[in-house]
Amino acid sequence: AELIQRQHGGHQGVVGVQLLDRTFDAVGAEAYVPRTQITEQGVYSVQRYDLDRFGFEGGLRLDHRTLDSAVGDRDFTNVSGSLATFVRPSAETFLGLSLSRTARAPSEVELFAQGPHAATGAFEVGDPDLHSESVWTLEGTAHYASGPFSADLHLYAARYDGFIDLRATGAEDDGLPVFAYVQTDADFRGFEAEATYDLWADGDRTLTFKGSADWVRADTDLGPAARIPPWSATVGLDWTSTAFDAGIEVRKVGEQDRTAAFERPTDGYVTVGLNAAWRPFADRNVTLFAAASNLTDTEAREHASFQKDIAPLPGRNIRMGVTYRF
């Protein structure tokens, strides 16, 4: 339930209450988490003051979570909050800075897992003594848009107290590698950036160059965090018009050799993709589309995947279809 405040003099906000009553009950041979009754209660508020050239934002949330299972009962109360400010130096520019402290209770899987997990191909072991995970995050945002050019940049740094990580132990059970949920302090930092530039435009027809990049580094008291993706960068060209769209995209992903214990590194790779969409009828809601991915048939492995050692990404593949919007 949410109460949305009417905007008045640049001030707008919302106050809400959230309730959850959930019974988690996995059955069958692949069940690896015991039946758990979960109840949650939360109350929150977000307030924003937008004074045109600058403004402020703040949020506060109180959560209470109870988990009741055959393994044990746990009870958590968490408080999260954030403060942010933003400024518009010009009509084209937006700058923002936020500081938040977020806390979350561990999930039933993180607490009570004990058995083989088919999706990850691992024997997962929870820790019923885990405490809440909390993190302080500082994030800066910049947006610029003028004429044919627009760009966004996000920089962030996060410090975790009690970061919950699923890490390989080096042991085996039932022929599967054993992964255990552990808790440690951690530091994350990184950025995300993207930009577009209209190389040519005439009426409804536009040729746009686009680019994006991202990078993250994560360190814990136990060494590098598990399954952290490497840097990546993407460039592409998009053609858009009323009747026909087309695009080409080249993505470069770096190698990842900063690995957790018992985790293998992954090689970098480059993939190329094409896409096209045609609206041949007067009713523009009918679209014929085609997309081709990994045209060079590159062997590529997602470092964040549990199955990366045995299951690479798809090779060269093509999809075609028709959509109707109504």
Side-chain angles (χ1 to χ4, degrees):
E2 287 187 337
L3 299 175
I4 301 175
Q5 301 161 221
R6 186 174 300 168
Q7 185 170 345
H8 178 71
H11 172 226
Q12 191 173 22
V14 61
V15 177
V17 175
Q18 189 172 20
L19 304 174
L20 171 69
D21 190 346
R22 176 179 179 228
T23 300
F24 177 88
D25 192 12
V27 296
E30 295 181 353
Y32 71 109
V33 180
R35 177 186 173 95
T36 306
Q37 185 69 35
I38 305 158
T39 59
E40 291 181 1
Q41 305 86 36
V43 58
Y44 60 91
S45 179
V46 178
Q47 304 294 320
R48 177 184 176 95
Y49 290 86
D50 190 340
L51 305 175
D52 193 23
R53 295 297 297 271
F54 65 95
F56 306 93
E57 220 174 62
L60 190 64
R61 181 182 177 94
L62 174 66
D63 283 296
H64 181 76
R65 189 173 201 223
T66 301
L67 301 98
D68 183 1
S69 80
V71 177
D73 303 339
R74 292 299 306 275
D75 191 274
F76 301 91
T77 299
N78 290 311
V79 178
S80 300
S82 65
L83 289 173
T85 183
F86 55 89
V87 60
R88 300 182 181 92
S90 65
E92 299 84 7
T93 309
F94 175 94
L95 302 173
L97 185 67
S98 66
L99 177 66
S100 64
R101 192 267 185 188
T102 306
R104 75 168 184 93
S107 70
E108 62 275 11
V109 176
E110 293 165 337
L111 290 169
F112 307 131
Q114 183 71 36
H117 186 186
T120 62
F123 190 100
E124 295 187 13
V125 180
D127 183 352
D129 295 324
L130 293 175
H131 57 80
S132 291
E133 176 186 271
S134 63
V135 55
W136 285 94
T137 303
L138 181 66
E139 181 173 0
T141 300
H143 172 74
Y144 180 82
S146 178
F149 178 74
S150 68
D152 288 276
L153 174 65
H154 303 278
L155 304 170
Y156 60 89
R159 172 158 292 182
Y160 285 85
D161 178 11
F163 175 68
I164 299 174
D165 200 3
L166 181 58
R167 301 174 71 98
T169 65
E172 285 193 2
D173 198 316
D174 287 344
L176 297 174
V178 176
F179 280 68
Y181 286 98
V182 298
Q183 200 151 33
T184 176
D185 293 339
D187 291 304
F188 281 60
R189 57 189 183 277
F191 77 87
E192 298 174 355
E194 61 180 29
T196 63
Y197 184 77
D198 293 340
L199 298 172
W200 182 84
D202 181 21
D204 68 329
R205 298 171 296 172
T206 306
L207 179 64
T208 303
F209 173 81
K210 63 181 182 181
S212 62
D214 61 82
W215 171 84
V216 61
R217 184 184 178 102
D219 295 293
T220 78
D221 290 347
L222 302 175
R227 297 173 303 282
I228 297 301
W231 66 267
S232 69
T234 304
V235 295
L237 282 174
D238 283 339
W239 169 268
T240 59
S241 65
T242 301
F244 182 74
D245 301 333
I248 181 172
E249 183 177 274
V250 179
R251 183 169 185 251
K252 167 65 177 175
V253 176
E255 67 176 2
Q256 180 58 287
D257 54 10
R258 297 191 76 254
T259 57
F262 308 107
E263 183 182 22
R264 294 182 182 178
T266 49
D267 295 330
Y269 59 87
V270 177
T271 57
V272 180
L274 295 172
N275 64 83
W278 181 36
R279 292 170 286 275
F281 307 114
D283 184 354
R284 300 300 185 184
N285 289 316
V286 178
T287 303
L288 307 176
F289 69 87
S293 302
N294 197 2
L295 289 174
T296 56
D297 203 27
T298 299
E299 180 178 311
R301 299 178 186 270
E302 287 284 6
H303 191 80
S305 170
F306 281 90
Q307 303 281 23
K308 58 180 174 286
D309 292 341
I310 61 174
L313 293 174
R316 184 183 300 112
N317 62 96
I318 299 174
R319 296 181 299 115
M320 294 181 289
V322 58
T323 62
Y324 177 65
R325 300 175 63 90
F326 61 93

